[in-house]
Amino acid sequence: MPPDRPADQTVLITGGAGFIGSHLATALVSDNDVRILDNLTTGQRANVPDEATLIEGDCRDADALARVTDGVDMVFHEAALVSVQQSIDDPQQSHAINVDATLDVLEAARREDARVVLASSAAIYGHPERVPIPESDPKGPTSPYGLDKLTIDHYVRQYHELYGLETVALRYFNAFGPGQVASDYSGVISIFLDQALSGEPITVDGDGSQTRDFVFIDDIVQANLRAATTDAVGKAYNIGTGEAISIRELAEAVQDITVTESEIVHTEPRPGDIEHSQADISKAEAYLDYEPTVAFREGLARTAKWYRTQ
Ligand code: UD1
C-alpha cells in the first residue's frame, strides 16, 4: 500500500484560495512545500494558510504558470468555473476557464513530469441511465460545464497514455462544507443555509424531487491525498458518498438544523438540470482505499455552525 498522503513534495494547487483548494492546502502544508496559483475571482486570500505561497495569477498566464510549476512534483488542478448555470449563460467563458486553462496546466506538468490530480465532475454523466452510477456508464453532459469537464477528464487520461504522465481524475459529486461561500452561482447547500440564517425563503427549483450525492469537504480532501500517492494512475474515480437525498429533503434538513422560520418556496425548474445523481464509489474504495467518513447530517451541522460565525 502506498502512503495515504504525500510528504516532502513541492505541490501546486491551482484554485488554492477557493473552497476545495484551500482545504487541500491546509491538509498539505505541514508536510509539503505548497504553492497556490489563484486569480482571486472567487477565491479569497484569507483562505490561504500562512505557510503556503500564494501567487496571484491565472492558469492561462504563461509566465505565472511557468514560475509556479518550476520544480513542482505534483499539481492539484482545482481552479475552475464551478457553476453549471454560469456555463449555460456563457459557454465560451466556461470553455476558456475549464478546458483551455487545464490544457495549459497539463503542458506545464508534462515539462516538469509532475503528477496531476484533476477536479473532474459528476456533471459529465448528464441524466444517468441508473443510480448509483459506475465510472463506466455512458456520458451525456447537459451543460457546457459538464461537457468541459468531460473533455478534461479525457485529456488527463490521454496525457497518461500518450506521454506517461501520472494523472488521476476525481469526479466530484456535490461537494459542501465550511468555506463554501454563498452566491447566486454557488452550491445549493451554501445558498439554502444563507437563506435560512437570514430569514429569507428557501428556494427549491422545481418540485425538489431531483437528488444529489452530497459529499463533505473532508472526504474530498481525503480522496485527493490518496490520489496523490496511489499507484493506480491513468484512471478516473467517482468521489461521493454512495448515498443521495432529494433537494426537497435537503431544504427540510436545513430548516431543521438552523431552526429557522424561513419557508420553502418552489421556483421554476432549472433548464438542463440533472434529475438524479448518486455515485457508485466502489472503484475509489478498491483502488484509493477511499472511504467517506462524514455522514450527511453531521456535515450539514458543521457547515451550518460555520455559517453562523460569518
Ligand atoms: C454541482 C456543482 C458542480 C459540480 C457538480 C457535481 C456548484 C455550484 N456546482 O452542480 O461544480 O461539478 O455539482 O455533481 O457547486 N437548487 C435549488 N435552489 C437553489 C440552487 C440550486 O433548488 O437555490 C437545486 C438545483 O436546481 C439542482 C440542485 O439544487 O437541482 C443542485 O444544484 P447546485 O448546487 O447548483 O449543483 P449542481 O448543478 O448539481
Side-chain angles (χ1 to χ4, degrees), residues 150-161:
L150 179 58
T151 305
I152 60 177
D153 185 284
H154 275 301
Y155 262 127
V156 295
R157 211 164 27 262
Q158 272 200 351
Y159 267 66
H160 176 69
E161 284 154 13

Side-chain angles (χ1 to χ4, degrees), residues 8 17 25 42 48 66 111 114 116 180 184 193 204 238-239 251 256 269 274:
D8 304 322
T42 52
V48 173
R111 282 196 297 273
V116 176
Q180 190 179 37
D184 287 350
L193 284 171
V204 171
N238 285 341
I239 303 301
D256 193 30
I274 287 158

Side-chain angles (χ1 to χ4, degrees), residues 51 124 138 201 228 257 262:
E51 305 91 323
I124 68 175
I257 258 169
S262 294

Side-chain angles (χ1 to χ4, degrees), residues 37-169:
L37 180 63
D38 199 302
N39 63 13
L40 302 180
T41 354
T42 52
Q44 293 170 9
R45 197 176 287 275
N47 288 343
V48 173
D50 289 342
E51 305 91 323
T53 309
L54 169 67
I55 292 94
E56 194 179 332
D58 199 282
C59 297
R60 287 165 293 159
D61 172 345
D63 287 342
L65 190 61
R67 233 171 357 114
V68 289
T69 50
D70 185 34
V72 86
D73 298 307
M74 58 181 66
V75 179
F76 296 89
H77 183 44
E78 307 301 316
L81 182 118
V82 301
S83 162
V84 172
Q85 186 56 52
Q86 236 176 328
S87 83
I88 293 169
D89 296 343
D90 190 346
Q92 285 182 308
Q93 188 196 24
S94 175
H95 187 93
I97 297 172
N98 291 328
V99 180
D100 294 340
T102 301
L103 259 187
D104 292 343
V105 168
L106 279 169
E107 274 303 290
R110 181 153 81 106
R111 282 196 297 273
E112 300 291 332
D113 195 24
R115 176 174 293 215
V116 176
V117 180
L118 174 78
S120 180
S121 168
I124 68 175
Y125 297 113
H127 299 295
E129 282 178 359
R130 55 176 167 167
V131 286
I133 316 167
E135 285 83 352
S136 53
D137 266 12
K139 318 294 181 290
T142 58
S143 62
Y145 172 84
L147 184 56
D148 293 339
K149 287 285 180 181
L150 179 58
T151 305
I152 60 177
D153 185 284
H154 275 301
Y155 262 127
V156 295
R157 211 164 27 262
Q158 272 200 351
Y159 267 66
H160 176 69
E161 284 154 13
L162 296 175
Y163 314 119
L165 200 67
E166 293 181 353
T167 62
V168 178

